[in-house]
Amino acid sequence: MDAASRQRMPSWVPRAIALFWLGFLLVVLGRWLLGRLETLLVMLLVSLFLSLALEPAVNRLVGRGWRRGSATGAVLSGLVVAALGFIAVMGTLLVDQVATLIDKAPDYVTKVQDWVNNTFPNANVDFKDIVDNLTKENGTVQRWASSLANNTLKLSATALGLLLQVFSIGLFTFYLVAQGPKLRRVICSLLRPERQAHVLRAWEVAIDKTGGYLYSRALLALVSSLFHGVAFWIVGVPYPAALALWVGLVSQFLPVIGTYLAGVLPLFVALVNEPVKAVWVFALVVVYQQIENYLLAPRITARTMELNPALAFGAAIAGAAILGPVGAVLALPTAATLQAFAGLYVTRHDVVDSHLTAEPPRRPKRRPGRRRA
């Protein structure tokens, strides 16, 4: 073999270099497109979740003779009205409580000063500068209020952008539900008959699990709102109905951290109006959480969405890490759907006897009856 043959480049090397750079360019283009379309993809994902959750209710109305478009519009309109009512109630509550806090802040500072001086005679603290800073025209509170007023245009633009996104999600959801059968026919027409059965089965499982998730969360939110509404009314916390609605919805539809976020607002309202009541509010929230965890949630979710607690916790953390709060909300129905798919398509075998797999025997339940003498 001569020197020219030995120095000649193999024929596959140029193709490998071209494929490498082509793959690199496709990856860069894909990342650029994902960055540009991130908002749209998240809206589509939320719309898909809502369509799966609303379809059982729409199917019931269709079964009673409604047109599918009218049934979809009615269900979606009810959801929008409920959401707007909740936002209006909570907005009014927050504005009123912030105004009350600003008015009472100097009195709170004075009470803290008197308590410290009475409890510790040698302290001799004086919060006069803090009180003056809260009450004078150019104080911290006044500057914060002026800054908030100056940013009204920016806040309005942000609210308009969020409103546009919500409208887009609603429009996508409407078409996904109203045109659901047609969409499934289009997808199935591209597949062989045996593949069509798998796709329809997967779609049905997703609808059942997502609808079950929404049903169980809504039922738990209703029970939680009723309990906290009565409890807050007895304790004497202002706005008991609005606060109970907040606790019920936030604690159920925000996994992992929802319970803690739900209790912050009632505690804040109680502290602003009468700090002693905050202790009762804290105790009520903790007690109800234990009742829900051990009595209510296992019975309700066992019939709607069976999901291992550790899997639910991990799914919520993973969803929050990927998509933030939206991912945390969507993580549980997604995990339940994947678990259902595993139960359908994964082959299971009998477990061998071992002390590592043995479960303790359950005690038989006693049936009510007459005692023998």
Side-chain angles (χ1 to χ4, degrees):
M1 183 179 295
D2 56 359
S5 300
R6 289 195 300 267
Q7 294 178 358
R8 185 180 301 170
M9 181 182 298
S11 60
W12 59 268
V13 173
R15 291 196 299 269
I17 295 175
L19 289 175
F20 170 79
W21 285 109
L22 179 61
F24 176 76
L25 291 176
L26 289 176
V27 170
V28 173
L29 179 61
R31 291 188 60 182
W32 179 80
L33 286 176
L34 285 176
R36 293 288 183 175
L37 301 177
E38 181 181 1
T39 303
L40 176 62
L41 293 176
V42 172
M43 288 192 298
L44 288 175
L45 185 62
V46 174
S47 301
L48 179 61
F49 164 75
L50 289 176
S51 67
L52 294 173
L54 298 179
E55 186 149 349
V58 173
N59 290 337
R60 290 182 180 179
L61 293 179
V62 171
R64 295 181 179 180
W66 286 54
R67 292 184 177 180
R68 191 167 186 86
S70 301
T72 304
V75 173
L76 198 57
S77 299
L79 181 63
V80 171
V81 169
L84 291 177
F86 174 74
I87 293 173
V89 170
M90 297 312 302
T92 303
L93 185 149
L94 287 176
V95 170
D96 184 75
Q97 293 305 308
V98 170
T100 303
L101 178 62
I102 293 174
D103 292 338
K104 293 185 177 182
D107 295 335
Y108 291 152
V109 174
T110 303
K111 289 181 180 179
V112 172
Q113 171 186 306
D114 296 339
W115 179 83
V116 172
N117 290 331
N118 294 331
T119 306
F120 308 99
N122 296 326
N124 294 325
V125 297
D126 187 4
F127 294 154
K128 184 177 182 301
D129 294 338
I130 298 177
V131 175
D132 293 340
N133 194 23
L134 292 173
T135 55
K136 64 182 182 181
E137 293 184 0
N138 295 325
T140 303
V141 175
Q142 297 297 329
R143 289 199 303 269
W144 175 77
S146 300
S147 176
L148 186 62
N150 294 332
N151 292 330
T152 302
L153 183 61
K154 184 178 179 180
L155 294 175
S156 300
T158 303
L160 183 61
L162 291 176
L163 185 61
L164 180 61
Q165 292 184 12
V166 171
F167 176 78
S168 301
I169 291 173
L171 192 62
F172 286 139
T173 303
F174 176 82
Y175 283 115
L176 285 174
V177 179
Q179 302 294 325
K182 183 181 295 185
L183 176 63
R184 288 187 281 270
R185 283 197 300 271
V186 171
I187 294 175
C188 289
S189 65
L190 304 175
L191 304 173
R192 296 193 299 269
E194 60 273 13
R195 294 290 182 86
Q196 295 180 22
H198 291 296
V199 170
L200 294 176
R201 177 58 177 164
W203 211 305
E204 184 179 6
V205 169
I207 291 175
D208 291 341
K209 292 302 176 180
T210 307
Y213 167 77
L214 183 64
Y215 169 76
S216 62
R217 295 293 100 184
L219 187 56
L220 287 172
L222 176 62
V223 176
S224 177
S225 299
L226 292 175
F227 175 87
H228 287 97
V230 174
F232 292 160
W233 177 74
I234 294 174
V235 173
V237 180
Y239 304 101
L243 291 176
L245 187 62
W246 164 267
V247 172
L249 292 177
V250 174
S251 64
Q252 300 306 323
F253 287 96
L254 283 183
V256 184
I257 62 172
T259 302
Y260 307 102
L261 291 178
V264 170
L265 184 59
L267 283 173
F268 170 74
V269 173
L271 284 171
V272 169
N273 291 270
E274 191 171 346
V276 177
K277 295 179 181 179
V279 179
W280 288 102
V281 171
F282 178 78
L284 288 170
V285 172
V286 171
V287 168
Y288 177 79
Q289 191 61 38
Q290 304 308 312
I291 296 174
E292 180 183 289
N293 290 338
Y294 292 101
L295 294 179
L296 299 177
R299 297 176 182 271
I300 294 176
T301 57
R303 297 184 178 182
T304 54
M305 189 183 71
E306 297 178 358
L307 190 61
N308 183 276
L311 179 61
F313 183 74
I317 293 178
I322 297 173
L323 293 177
V326 174
V329 174
L330 302 182
L332 294 187
T334 302
T337 303
L338 294 177
Q339 181 176 282
F341 289 158
L344 289 174
Y345 297 108
V346 175
T347 304
R348 297 182 180 272
H349 304 278
D350 294 334
V351 180
V352 297
D353 293 332
S354 172
H355 67 281
L356 297 176
T357 59
E359 295 183 357
R362 296 182 178 180
R363 295 181 179 179
K365 296 182 178 180
R366 295 181 179 179
R367 296 182 179 180
R370 296 181 179 179
R371 295 183 178 179
R372 295 183 180 179

